[in-house]
Structures are given as structure tokens and as C-alpha cells.
Amino acid sequence: MSKKLCGTNYPLSICFIVVNEFCERFSYYGMKALLTLYFVTYLKWDKDLSTAVYHAFSGLCYFTPILGAIIADSWLGKFRTIIYLSIVYVIGHVVKSVGAIPTVGNTDVHIALSMVGLILIAIGTGGIKPCVAAFGGDQFDEEHVSERQKFFSIFYMSINAGSLLSTLITPVLRGDVKCFGGDCYALAFGVPAALMIVALVVFIAGSSLYKRNPPQGNILLQVCKCIGFAIKNRWRNSKHEPKRKHWLDWAEEKYSKRLIQEVKMVLRVLVLYIPLPMFWALFDQQVWVYKPKKTTFSQCVSVHYSRFWCIPVKDHRLKLSSHCPRQTDVLPLISLHFLSRYPAVHCDLQSEDCPGLNLGLLDFGASYTFILMKESGQIVAHRMEDVKANSVHIAWQIPQYVLLTAGEVMFSITGLEFSYSQAPSNMKSVLQAGWLLTVAFGNVIVLIVAEGAGLEQWKEFVLFAGLLLGVCIIFSVMSVFYKYVEPENMDKINLEDTKEEDEGVFILLANTKNIYSAGCVR
């Protein structure tokens, strides 16, 4: 009998699981918040390569759950899988942090350590992701369905709490703390590494309280063999034998009814998940292009429309390297595209003949062209506003983010609980991994459309929104035909199938005994 929390039906063990998930998500999102900025400013990669590696890492983190699920359900069990892959996770964080120390090797060493660290992190975080949620669900007795459903809500709250705090704290550690003569990436990556160590220690601390379901052999291999045999047997004998109720029933000659029933349950859920990646494709539109923050601000400047530079603005002074022409009254055109507001920007042409130019107030989102002309022996800048300043208040985004957050929370929590409740007891982690794969394929869709279609951003938003609307209609139709299995009836189904098999074995043994007795009488 497991210990309960404060007289409730909640097992005490879930406290350790929730704290572990909070620390692990702090570790993951804290590291990820700085990743693209680290590539650009520390490893000196260009924006395209940084974005590609960032999304390749994100996709890998959601493809590796299937590996962790196979190991957990077929070999080590969820508890040992979480511990072993968490150790891999910690090693990846440590390697990543060491790679951010400038005194450790050259740029090639930093790149190698960073890539090795990211691969280990992807294996660790992806591998434990389906196991932790399923392991938390295992702690509840079957009659405590409502408590288990609330647990998944608490579990998801810990995920969001960890990610929120980490994305606020780690950029501050990187920018405000200086080490090795610059931004302290080693500290910013080291703190998530420390939190992952805390997550591992907390999880191990609760080991005496956990309810552990032992693995039941290589279940995924059995599922694949069952499906393959059913297809082959149907192909060979469908013309000669009576039609069967379900195509998987063609495997009855070799596999148990219980296994066939479990495979049916898993396949029905996975088919239902086919349209769901489109939700994540639209949801990730808000984050898929990472924009570095707290960098030295640059403005894009073109002179005579023949050169194009991005020049840092320091102390509200913009320095150009061109020289004033001495023979003409019309000087070069300067086109400025501003992404922030500067109260008084001064333009220095760095020429003894040209004094500094006060360009005045330059507004957020505006684009200006300045014509420099000699008037009364002085250089005067005449401003033309090419693109008007942004006048839409940022607070208008609040309702949008409220709706996005509400949709994501309801979608994710329901998906976690549904994946657990509709899975057979020996395939809980596998179905959790199937749910997480919808996120991975959503990222793949985003990359394909972004790289292949070449649409403007607003057109991509409209495209994905329209596709998701169509997917909602398709999913609604599919859900009508889905037969929901109540969690409390799950064991009854398995028990009935097992009973039928035992009765069949008993009848077979009885017949064998009768034949043997008859032979002896003769």
C-alpha cells in the first residue's frame, strides 16, 4: 500500500516526480533560451546555420522519446530508464558548459564539445520525457481516475513553471554576469546543469515510495511481428477463408487474443493522432524564428544605394565611414531602418569637412531616407519617412497569447492523460512517445514550409491557420468513430481475454488427457 499525501488519494511519490519535472524543464528551457545567441555570438555562426542547428536539435529532442519508450517498456522499466538517461542528460549539460569556457581549446574544440553536449542532451531529455509522465500515472490505483487526471494538470503546470523561470533567469546570468572578459555563457549553461543534477537527486530520493511495474519483454517487437503476421496471413488466405471482423484478427493463429486486443487499442489511438502535428506547426509559429536579445543594437545603412552595412549604435551616435564630397552640393543618400526608438541619433561621417549631424527622433519600426545638402556652408540632413513608425500598442498581443496559452494547455494536458488512459499497461511509455512525436512532426512541417514555400511570414500564419481549421474538421469526424475505453474497464478487457485463453488451454489439456486415457484402455 503506497503512502498517501495528507490523507488524500494522491500518492506521496508524485511529489518527487513533479519536483523532478520542474527542475528538468528549468534545465532544458534555460539552456535552450540562449542556444541561438550562443551560436551567433560565441561560435560565430551565421543566422541560417544557427537556425538550422537549433531546429535540428529541437526536432531530435522529440524524436528520441520513442527510443526511451522502447527501453522502458521492453527492457529496463521506467524507473531505471529515467535514472540512466538522466545521467546521460547531466553529462551532456556538463560537456555543453565546458564548451562555453573560452580558455578550453580553440573554436573547433568549442564546436565539438557543444555538438556532443547537445546530442547527449537530446537523447537524455527525449528518452525520459515519455517515461516520467507514464511513471507518474503508474503511481495511482485504477479506481483513482479523477486524481490521476488532476495529476497530469499539476504535472504540466510544473513544466510551464520551470520553463518560465528559466527563460527569465538564464538570460540575466548570461548578460549581467561577466566572466573571462565577456558574457558568461559558462555560468548560464552551468546553472541548468546544476538543476538537472538536483532533478536526478530528487528522483532517486523518492525511490522507496515508487510503485514500479516491471517490463514485459520486447513488447514493441511483438507488436511489429503481430502486425506483420496479420498482414501476411490475410494476403495469403483471405480468398479461401471467411472474412474476419478486423484485419488484425488474422494473427489469431499465432498470437494471443490479449496481444491482438492491445495492438488494436494502440493503433486506434495512433491513427487518431495523425492530424495533430498541424496544431504544433501553427503553435510554433510564435517561436520558430529565434530573435536574439540584449545584443549591441545595429541599424542598416545604405549610402548611394550601392553599399549596405549594419553599424552598431553606441551612445546614440551612428558613425559612417564615407567622406563628404567637396565639389557638389548634394551629398550621399543615407537610408536608415530603425527597429527601436532613439531620442536623438547623431550621424558622424568621420571627416574633417563634415561635422556631426543630429538626425533627431527616430521612431520604432520606421524607415527613413536622409538627403545631405550644403546650406549656407553647413551640412544639413533632410529627412524623408519611407515607412511610418509603428503605432499599434504591444498590449494588443495579450488577448492573442491568452488564447494561444489556453489552447495549448487544454490540448497538451488532455493529450497526456488520454495517451496514458487509452494505452495497455505494458505500452504506456510507447503511447506517450507517440503523443510526443506529434510535436516532432509539427516542427518538420514548419521547416518544410518555411524552407520550401518561401512565403512571407503573415502568409505562413494564414496558411497554417487555414490548415489547422481543416484538421479540426477532420479530427472531429475521426473522433466520432473512436470508441473510448474507460480506464476502469481496461483490466476487465484484459482479464476476459486472459480467461478465454486459460479456458482454451484447459479444454485442450482435457481433450489430450481423454485421448491418452482412451489409448490406455485399449
Side-chain angles (χ1 to χ4, degrees), residues 415-441:
L416 284 172
E417 197 279 331
F418 182 82
S419 299
Y420 183 88
S421 66
Q422 298 301 288
S425 59
N426 55 354
M427 284 188 272
K428 299 288 188 185
S429 296
V430 170
L431 209 51
Q432 289 286 334
W435 166 254
L436 294 170
L437 280 177
T438 63
V439 184
F441 284 112

Side-chain angles (χ1 to χ4, degrees), residues 283 286 392-408 461:
F283 183 80
Q286 60 179 320
V392 179
H393 198 280
I394 195 171
W396 282 106
Q397 293 188 28
I398 294 177
Q400 302 166 37
Y401 276 98
V402 169
L403 291 174
L404 281 170
T405 303
E408 191 246 352
F461 290 167

Side-chain angles (χ1 to χ4, degrees), residues 63-207:
F63 277 111
T64 50
I66 193 66
L67 174 64
I70 294 171
I71 295 173
D73 285 343
S74 304
W75 184 25
L76 295 177
K78 300 181 188 72
F79 177 74
R80 288 197 293 168
T81 300
I82 293 171
I83 290 180
Y84 294 160
L85 289 181
S86 292
I87 294 173
V88 174
Y89 201 164
V90 169
I91 294 173
H93 268 301
V94 172
V95 172
K96 185 77 179 64
S97 302
V98 171
I101 300 175
T103 56
V104 178
N106 54 20
T107 303
D108 293 336
V109 174
H110 297 157
I111 294 174
L113 290 175
S114 298
M115 293 302 100
V116 171
L118 288 178
I119 291 172
L120 293 176
I121 290 171
I123 294 173
T125 187
I128 69 174
K129 197 183 291 287
C131 302
V132 175
F135 191 64
D138 288 346
Q139 305 308 305
F140 293 84
D141 298 326
E142 284 302 322
E143 62 268 20
H144 300 146
V145 177
S146 62
E147 286 83 359
R148 187 176 63 211
Q149 291 173 342
K150 292 176 183 177
F151 160 75
F152 284 110
S153 298
I154 298 170
F155 183 82
Y156 201 73
M157 183 185 70
S158 70
I159 293 175
N160 286 331
S163 62
L164 174 63
L165 289 177
S166 64
T167 51
L168 293 175
I169 293 173
T170 51
V172 173
L173 295 176
R174 192 274 310 169
D176 295 353
V177 179
K178 301 297 179 182
C179 61
F180 303 104
D183 291 340
C184 202
Y185 282 105
L187 176 64
F189 288 140
V191 170
L195 262 293
M196 190 57 221
I197 295 174
V198 172
L200 178 58
V201 171
V202 168
F203 185 77
I204 294 175
S207 57

